[in-house]
Amino acid sequence: MGYMPQNISGTIFINGKTILLNPMFLKVVKSKIHRAVVTEANLNYVGSITIDEALMEASGLIEGEFVQVVNNNNGERLETYVIKGERHAGQICLNGAAARKVHVGDIVIIMAYALMTPEEAKDFKALTIFPDQNNKIKF
């Protein structure tokens, strides 16, 4: 490949496809579990958050995905990755060091993000679910 200066921007067309030069990407919320209840905090487990598989599926989260967890009870924010929990068990478990940031019964918001162009972001709608007090999906 040839040299391309980093300050070039705009678009080019190759084989009928539009190619963005130095595109800008926005970080937007992709998936959100709003107000889940922490069911466990396991300090002795290797880091992460274990989430009921049904909640993961409904919110569009996948195992290993990077998430931000916001604790509504104490204002803590942390970042970790998702581990799949037992389907329909209602499990929301913070593991490892993250366990120190929550207590069983705390209300948390779990969010995953995606990078997209401003054009993609304009029409994108995050997948948000609202579990009940037992972490079951409300319809």
Side-chain angles (χ1 to χ4, degrees), residues 21-95:
L21 300 176
N22 294 329
M24 176 177 68
F25 291 98
L26 303 175
K27 184 176 179 181
V28 299
V29 175
K30 173 192 84 75
S31 303
K32 182 176 177 184
I33 301 175
H34 190 78
R35 296 183 59 82
V37 179
V38 174
T39 59
E40 188 179 351
N42 186 346
L43 182 62
N44 295 313
Y45 193 84
V46 177
S48 66
I49 182 170
T50 305
I51 301 175
D52 179 315
E53 184 179 15
L55 294 176
M56 287 175 58
E57 192 172 273
S59 64
L61 292 173
I62 62 170
E63 191 161 29
E65 187 166 4
F66 190 74
V67 292
Q68 180 180 50
V69 181
V70 179
N71 186 331
N72 281 8
N73 293 74
N74 63 19
E76 289 281 358
R77 290 175 174 259
L78 61 99
E79 296 173 330
T80 189
Y81 61 94
V82 175
I83 291 178
K84 187 186 319 179
E86 182 182 341
R87 181 178 288 274
H88 302 299
Q91 185 179 29
I92 299 291
C93 177
L94 278 295
N95 300 303

